[in-house]
């Protein structure tokens, strides 16, 4: 039983490394990076879109402790158009992409995201 914590820690590290090395899904375009933490960037984007649209905005946590999130444009279903907020691929900070979705107007979304970076 004394090896169980070591095994669990090793498995968690392998899973995290595998997730971090994955390519972004198709349909996500790079918007930019920020030195701010991912939760701060996600909250800024959500607030900007809520203020602009006067509609609720959904934020989905993708990793524990809000280390990564998807911020959906108002009215979008889970997995729909929105900001993809992830820890920076190297070093500290945040990487943000924009996922296109069917029926969503994302024309101003990239500039709204830029304002939060």
């Amino acid at each position: 039983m004394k090896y169980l914590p070591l095994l669990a820690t090793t498995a968690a590290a392998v899973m995290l490394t595998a997730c971090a090395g994955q390519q972004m899904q198709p349909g996500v375009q790079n918007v930019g990076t920020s030195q701010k933490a991912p939760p701060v960037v996600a909250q800024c984007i959500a607030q900007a879109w809520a203020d602009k649209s006067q509609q609720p905005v959904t934020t989905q946590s993708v990793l524990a402790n809000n280390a990564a999130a998807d911020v959906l444009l108002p009215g979008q279903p889970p997995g729909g158009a929105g900001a993809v907020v992830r820890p920076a691929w190297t070093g500290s900070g945040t990487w943000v992409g924009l996922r296109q979705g069917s029926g969503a107007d994302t024309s101003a979304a990239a500039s709204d995201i830029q304002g939060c970076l």
Side-chain angles (χ1 to χ4, degrees):
M1 288 307 275
K2 65 182 179 179
Y3 295 108
L4 189 57
L6 178 61
L7 180 62
T9 303
T10 303
V14 168
M15 291 291 290
L16 186 57
T17 302
C19 291
Q22 290 180 348
Q23 296 287 339
M24 287 309 308
Q25 65 235 28
V28 176
Q29 70 181 48
N30 180 39
V31 175
T33 60
S34 173
Q35 289 304 309
K36 299 174 189 173
V40 173
V41 175
Q43 177 61 36
C44 177
I45 295 167
Q47 189 67 51
W49 287 347
D51 290 347
K52 193 173 192 177
S53 69
Q54 295 299 304
Q55 295 179 7
V57 173
T58 301
T59 301
Q60 299 174 317
S61 291
V62 178
L63 290 175
N65 298 323
N66 296 321
D70 290 343
V71 182
L72 302 175
L73 283 163
Q76 287 294 298
V84 177
V85 182
R86 303 290 185 265
W89 300 113
T90 57
S92 62
T94 303
W95 175 89
V96 183
L98 178 62
R99 180 176 47 234
Q100 303 296 319
S102 60
D105 180 13
T106 57
S107 57
S111 64
D112 293 338
I113 293 170
Q114 284 286 340
C116 291
L117 297 181

